[in-house]
Amino acid sequence: MDKSPEEIPFHNRDQQNVLVMLEEAQYEAGCVSEARIAEVAESLDVSQSEVYGVATFYSFLSVKPLGRNVIRVCKSLPCYLKNSRMIIESIAAELGIKPGETTPDMKFSFELTNCIGGCDKAPAMLINSDVHGDLTPEKIAQILKSYD
Amino acid sequence: MPERRVILKNCGVIDPRRMETFLNNDGFKALTKALNEMTPDSVIETIKASGLRGRGGAGFPCGLKWELARKAPGDEKFVICNADEGEVGTFKDRYILENDPFSLIEGIAIAAYALGARQAYIYLRAEYHYLLELLTKAIAQTKEGGFLEHVDIQIREGAGAYVCGEESALMDSIEGKRGEVRYRPPFPPTQGLWEKPTVINNVETMMNIPQIVLNGADWFNQIGTDRSKGTKVFSVAGDVDRPGVYELEMGSQLKELVVDLAQAKKVKMLQIGGATGKIIPHTMMDTPLSFETILGAGAITVLDESRNIVDAVYHTMEFLAEESCGKCAPCREGTEALFGIMEKFNRGEGTERDIRHLEDLANAMMPSSLCGLGQAAPIPVVDSLQHFRSEYEDRIKQKQGGAAK
Ligand SMILES: Cc1cc2nc3c(=O)[nH]c(=O)nc-3n(C[C@H](O)[C@H](O)[C@H](O)COP(=O)(O)O)c2cc1C
Ligand code: SF4
Ligand code: FES
């Protein structure tokens, strides 16, 4: 499948910054807004639909506003074996929202996720970029209190 | 065989924030040796002769991959370190990144020298964002120390997509795109990142490089089995008293790892290699761990006698259905269908016909899926039906109101 130089498609290497810039937006603003998508597209000479496609592909990017703190509880097998369900229930009870929802005061978004590489401390969850492991329902209230 | 720490030798010994502590433990000796005393070709010869195979799951011969990329035409080449570690039950790469980033950087720098690559990337999964600062600082210190004159190492972060651990999807992701699996050929060593020759290796694979360069191919060759050389780093989780990361010589028995080290009791089944890995019963615990038998990326999830196999497979299929990228129909539809049937069994509504349906789906998906996810997705179903068929049958009997165990 060797191609002659003419046939090799043109690569806009600036495009590599699409994901980098969307990640920045997500960390800064808690979401990737439409305005941001347009800006990124414009500045890197990539179509808006392409940028939108990237923004919706990755689970850590969100086009809808998320809460100031994003909780991601692991539900994969090793954590499930260690009662991740009870953790999910106690967070739901504590915050009064279900997975997939955000508290009305925009303090927390609550999501479920797959293995976060903390199975040695199962059940585990991420809040923003912090790992919390060896969770018990009793620990939840205290952990949530440490975020504002 | 007890634990044998070869590539984890610095973990818990050095301070990952201070390069001096690494230098005091033979740090960068291998890189210095490669740069000053070896040609790129002799580095590649050494890696080839060592028999090192990729630790990311597929076990491809490392030296051969490097040689293909070195010989591929083109001035611009890339090295990528795959730190996406998304497989369920795997955390060994995290442990390495946390404890010894410098050896990893050393391995990448040697790879870049061997290849003639001036740019290298570490692709770090979003879930490990908390390690970004540590890694960035380690690279900066290495650069200040003058060890990275020949190559620039940058970190690129993922954004939450299991499939981006697959090498071609990972490259699309570095290019800033949706992480979609590419049709092959071409393969990365000839046309990888931006269609330039690219070597992509797992974190643990890279960790072996300095040790091999420093101690020689013969030394490495004497560790392990016939076709699996060296040691392997395992992540053990689930029903064990001491979950964690263990390094053992290739060919060690599963029992030594799971029972002696991780302290599992009353084992019923083991899932080896994560969601797409094999499921085996406790009666096979004397199996040696190697590429010839079972290995994957070294993730081992242990289930004890209190566990239900159908439930475990159901959870595994849920993961695969969620993480299928949807690019090819056999996997997109197949993982959904497998999950749907497992859900039925979990509700106690499975039938004999559903078992046949599971088997038909598995046979259809394995050969026709585009990447390893779809090809391996039926394995948990197939293996559990082979070893634990009665648990499926019990569920059917339960439904019919018959006597179940
Ligand atoms: C769906 C899928 C996910 C993968 N995830 C990873 C991963 O997280 N880390 C990794 O090193 N390899 C992963 N791989 C394997 C890579 O495609 C590739 O084989 C590996 O990075 C090559 O490095 P190695 O030869 O050093 O093992 C995955 C493969 C597939 C099909
Ligand atoms: S096998 Fe699955 S994950 Fe792989 S390309 Fe096809 S749909 Fe995507
Ligand atoms: S399964 Fe939950 S962290 Fe791995």
Side-chain angles (χ1 to χ4, degrees), chain A residues 93-144:
Chain A
E94 192 71 31
L95 297 178
I97 55 172
K98 291 199 290 286
E101 297 179 348
T102 298
T103 52
D105 62 0
M106 298 300 282
K107 191 169 167 188
F108 286 109
S109 287
F110 178 20
E111 299 186 349
L112 302 184
T113 193
N114 282 317
C115 184
I116 56 173
C119 339
D120 49 345
K121 311 185 264 280
M125 67 175 174
L126 281 171
I127 299 185
N128 307 328
S129 300
D130 314 328
V131 186
H132 297 275
D134 296 319
L135 297 172
T136 58
E138 296 75 47
K139 286 186 188 168
I140 294 299
Q142 184 126 33
I143 293 174
L144 294 184

Side-chain angles (χ1 to χ4, degrees), chain B residues 274-293:
Chain B
T276 52
K278 303 217 36 100
I279 284 179
I280 64 165
H282 69 97
T283 48
M284 288 168 69
M285 279 211 291
D286 50 3
T287 307
L289 291 156
S290 67
F291 290 111
E292 299 93 303
T293 48

Side-chain angles (χ1 to χ4, degrees), chain B residues 168-386:
Chain B
S168 66
L170 188 153
M171 289 178 205
D172 267 22
S173 185
I174 293 183
E175 291 178 10
K177 303 172 187 159
R178 296 162 69 90
E180 276 179 19
V181 175
R182 301 176 182 175
Y183 290 92
R184 279 154 296 189
F187 291 95
T190 47
Q191 289 181 35
L193 192 59
W194 291 296
E195 301 196 351
K196 304 292 182 191
T198 304
V199 154
I200 177 163
N201 279 125
N202 172 258
V203 167
E204 186 189 342
T205 313
M206 289 293 191
M207 292 293 288
N208 279 277
I209 303 299
Q211 297 310 316
I212 294 170
V213 167
L214 206 57
N215 300 307
D218 289 342
W219 162 80
F220 192 77
N221 234 294
Q222 280 157 19
I223 312 171
T225 72
D226 230 19
R227 282 165 46 216
S228 307
K229 298 298 180 192
T231 60
K232 180 78 191 79
V233 182
F234 296 93
S235 329
V236 188
D239 295 320
V240 296
D241 288 347
R242 293 187 58 219
V245 171
Y246 300 95
E247 179 177 1
L248 289 169
E249 189 163 335
M250 288 273 199
S252 301
Q253 281 185 6
L254 188 50
K255 205 164 39 199
E256 299 170 64
L257 174 63
V258 168
V259 178
D260 300 350
L261 291 170
Q263 309 255 303
K265 312 217 164 64
K266 299 191 175 158
V267 178
K268 180 174 181 179
M269 76 153 238
L270 306 105
Q271 186 172 47
I272 299 174
T276 52
K278 303 217 36 100
I279 284 179
I280 64 165
H282 69 97
T283 48
M284 288 168 69
M285 279 211 291
D286 50 3
T287 307
L289 291 156
S290 67
F291 290 111
E292 299 93 303
T293 48
I294 34 171
L295 198 60
I300 298 187
T301 303
V302 181
L303 274 73
D304 70 20
E305 287 166 0
S306 71
R307 306 295 182 179
N308 185 287
I309 305 298
V310 171
D311 193 34
V313 176
Y314 161 79
H315 265 85
T316 300
M317 290 320 303
E318 179 187 33
F319 170 83
L320 294 167
E322 279 175 8
E323 298 293 349
S324 164
C325 82
K327 178 155 179 162
C328 68
C331 167
R332 184 181 62 233
E333 311 290 333
T335 50
E336 276 302 331
L338 288 174
F339 176 52
I341 301 174
M342 290 312 300
E343 206 170 15
K344 242 178 116 181
F345 272 100
N346 220 22
R347 284 199 309 266
E349 293 168 12
T351 62
E352 276 296 337
R353 253 186 86 208
D354 286 324
I355 293 191
R356 282 197 300 279
H357 198 170
L358 285 173
E359 286 166 338
D360 290 344
L361 273 167
N363 289 333
M365 286 170 71
M366 289 198 191
S368 62
S369 292
L370 182 59
C371 86
L373 193 158
Q375 288 157 11
I379 291 176
V381 168
V382 172
D383 284 359
S384 58
L385 277 172
Q386 182 186 343

Side-chain angles (χ1 to χ4, degrees), chain A residues 16 23 53 58 75 80 117, chain B residues 94 156-157 177 311 322:
Chain A
Q16 66 178 298
E23 285 166 351
Y58 297 93
K75 64 179 167 68
Y80 169 75
Chain B
R94 180 208 84 207
R156 281 285 181 278
E157 286 193 276
K177 303 172 187 159
D311 193 34
E322 279 175 8

